[in-house]
Amino acid sequence: MPDTQALVMTFLTSLKNATARQTAELLRSVISQQRVPYTNQAGALIDAVKAVGEQLIAANPVELAVGNIVRRVLHIIREEDLSLTTAAIGELNLSAVSDDENDDDRDGNTTLSAAAVAAAARSTLRPPSLQTLLEDTPVSAAVPQTSSSGGDSEGKTADKSSRSRKLKHDVIEAVNELIQDIVTCHEQIAEQAVEHIHQNEVILTLGSSRTVSEFLFAAKEKKRSFRVFVAEGAPRYQGHLLAKELVARGLQTTLITDSAVFAMISRVNMVIVGAHAVMANGGVIAPVGMNLVALAAQKHAVPFVVLAGSHKLCPLYPHNPEVLLNELRSPSELLDFGEFSDCMDFGSGSGSPLLHVVNPAFDYVPPKLVSLFITDAGGHNPSYMYRLIADYYSADDLVVQRRAIAGN
Amino acid sequence: MSMSAYYQTRAAHHGVVTSDWLAQSQEAATRAVVTGGQEIVDGGKSGRAFSVIDEFNNWRKQPDLAEAVAAIRALAAVIRNSEAKTMMELEIELKKASDSLKSWDTTSISLTAGCDLFMRYVTRTSALEYEDFNSARSRLIERAEKFGEISYKARKIIAMLSQDFIFDGCTILVHGFSRVVMEVLKMAAQNKKLFRVLCTEGRPDRSGLRLANELAKLDVPVKLLIDSAVAYTMDEVDMVFVGADGVVESGGIINMMGTYQIALVAHSMNKPVYVAAESYKFARLYPLDQKDMGPALRPIDFGVPIPSKVEVETSARDYTPPQYLTLLFTDLGVLTPSVVSDELIQLYL
C-alpha cells in the first residue's frame, strides 16, 4: 500500500488539472497493487477503491468527474464479481448434484439456495425496483460466503485460486475499457454531428469546449456549410481561442460578447454547448453564462443541445447548485489589482472592504431548458438520464465512504 | 351519493371529526355493510365465515398501517385459510379475493396497486423456485407478513433520501396529512435542521390541523393557512412537500383535493414540488384530465344547512400532472416523474 499512497499524494497535489482519465489510471494502479485475500476479494477491492476515492473526492469536490470515475470503478468491480460468481455457482450446481450422495453436510437445499442466491445476487446489483419489492434483500456478503463454502469441498481449490486472479484481471480489463471510452468520447460524439447540423445553419456556442470543436469539425468534414456564433465567455474569454480554431478550419465565425446573446439569438438555428457535469435530474453544470444562453434559447424556441461524455454523468442531485457545486475563482480575472487596490484593501478601516468581487466558475442550467443531450451513448432526453445512471453506477456507491465509518 | 370508503378511513384517522360528519358516515357505513354482506358468499366454500373484505377492514382500521399493507395482509389470510392443493388453485382463489377487494372499494389506489403487486409476486414466485407446494405457500405467507416491515422501512428510506433537500432556514409548505411526509419532517427535526413549516388546513377533513399538532409536539415552527392563502404565501416558500394516494403511469400523482392547485401555484412561481410516496403506490392508471378517474366522494360539512337545490362538489381527490412535479422520493430512490412508467413497464410487461 505505501506505493499507492505515494501515487495518491502526488495525484492530490496536482488535482487542479485532474481529469477523468487520470483518476481512472490511478485507480487502475491501486487495484493492481492491492493484495486480495482468499475470500471476499471483491469486498477488499471495493474497500481499497473507496478509501482512495474518499480522499480524491474530498480534495476537490467541485471536480465531479473524479467522483464519477470512482463510482464507475466500484460498479465495475461489483459487476465483474457478480458475473464470475454466477459462473462459479453454475459449476457449483453441477458438481453439487454429483456430490449429494457422498456429502452428508450438503442437504438438498444447496442447489435450491444456490439458484435463489444467484437470483438474489442479480437483483442486488440492479437498483431496487417494483419487481423485487416483496423479495428478501440478502446482504451482498451472502454471495461470497457461498463461494467460500464451495471452496471448502475437495477439488475446488484449483478453481478458486484461478478465480481470484481472474477477478483482478477482469476488473483491470474493464477499467482499461473505461479509460479507452474516456479518451475516445470526443470521436464518438463527433460521429453524430452530421445528424444534427444541417446545411446553411447558424450555430451558437459559448466559451470553448473540446467536445464542441470536434463536433463542429466533424460536420465540416462531411461538407456541411454552416456558420458559428461564438460568445466569448467572460471572464476567461476562451471563446476567442475557439474562434481562432474554427477559422483555421475554414468555418465562418462571428465573435460576440455574452451580453449580446439575447440580441443575436433570434438569428440562430441551434445552440450547441459543452458541460462540466450532468446531474441525475438532467440539469447541467456548465461554465458561467450558460444559464443566460439557455434562457435566451428557450425564449426564442431554439434547440439547446448539450454535448457530454458519459464520464461527466453524475448520480447526484443538485440540491443547492449555486452553493455546493460552484467554484469561486480569483477576482484578478475581473479586475486589475493596480487600479482597485484601495477599494479592496483589507488593511484599512473596519478591515472589510466595500468592494467585493465574486467570480463563480459555473452555472446551473435546469433540465427543462435542455432539449437534447448528446453523449457517446447516443442522443437522449434530459428525463432519460436516470437510465444511464442505473447502467453505469450502483446505488450503494452514491456516498463513497468506507463501511467502517458509515453508521448504517 | 356513494361514499368513498378510502377517504372515509383517512378522515377517520387524520381528520377533525364533527358531529354532523359522524352521523353521515355512520349512516353510510350501515349501508355498506348491507351491500357488503352479499359479497361474502363467493369468497369461500359454503359454511365458512371467512371474508377477505372483513379481514381487510380490520387491518385498515389501524391508523399507522398503509392501505397496501392491509390489502396484502388480507390476501395472506386468504392463503392461510385456503384449502387449495396446487399453486394454480391457490392463484385462482387469490385472484378472486383480490378482485372482490378491488371492486369493494374502487376509489383506493393503494389497495388496487397493492393487490396487483402481490398477485404479480405470486405468479412469478410460483413459477421460479419451489417444487414443493407447502414450502411455496409458507414462503408467500411469510413475505406477505413481512410486507408490513417493508412498508415501514420504505418510509424510513424516503425520509433519509429527502434529508439532503431540506436545508437550514428553509420554509416548507405541506398539504394534507401524509404519514410519509410526517416521517420526513420528523427525521429532519431529529437531525436538528432549522426549518419552518406552512401547513394548509385541508378542508373538509381539516387534516392540516392534526399535522400542525404533531409538528408542534416536535418543536417545529408551524404556521397554519386556510387553503385559499396558498398563493398569498407562496413567495416565502422554498419547497412544497406532499404525499400521494397514488402515483400514476404518467408520473403524476393523485392526492387529496387541493394538491393540483398548490402545484400550479408553485410551478408558476418556480418553487419545487416534491412528492414522497412509497413504490407500491405506483398504479397502472393514466388519467387524461381531472374527471378521468372514478369518482371518490366525501361528505362536506359546511356548518350551516345548504338548500337542496345547490350542488356541492364532493370529490375528495385531484390529479396533478407530471409537469408540475419536480421530484418523487420513493424507496426505489429519488426519481424524476418519467421514471415511474419505466418501473411499471418493468413490472407488468
Side-chain angles (χ1 to χ4, degrees), chain A residues 131 134-136 317 319, chain B residues 124 143 165 334 338 342 346:
Chain A
Q131 286 180 301
L134 274 158
E135 288 169 20
D136 259 329
Y317 281 87
H319 315 301
Chain B
R124 269 200 358 263
R143 293 319 299 160
F165 288 79
V334 181
S338 43
D342 210 26
Q346 279 180 28

Side-chain angles (χ1 to χ4, degrees), chain B residues 280-302:
Chain B
Y280 50 76
K281 288 182 177 162
F282 288 10
R284 292 199 75 190
L285 294 169
Y286 208 113
L288 298 174
D289 60 21
Q290 296 302 321
K291 310 291 190 299
D292 217 0
M293 313 169 279
L297 305 175
R298 278 263 300 116
I300 301 185
D301 171 28
F302 287 106

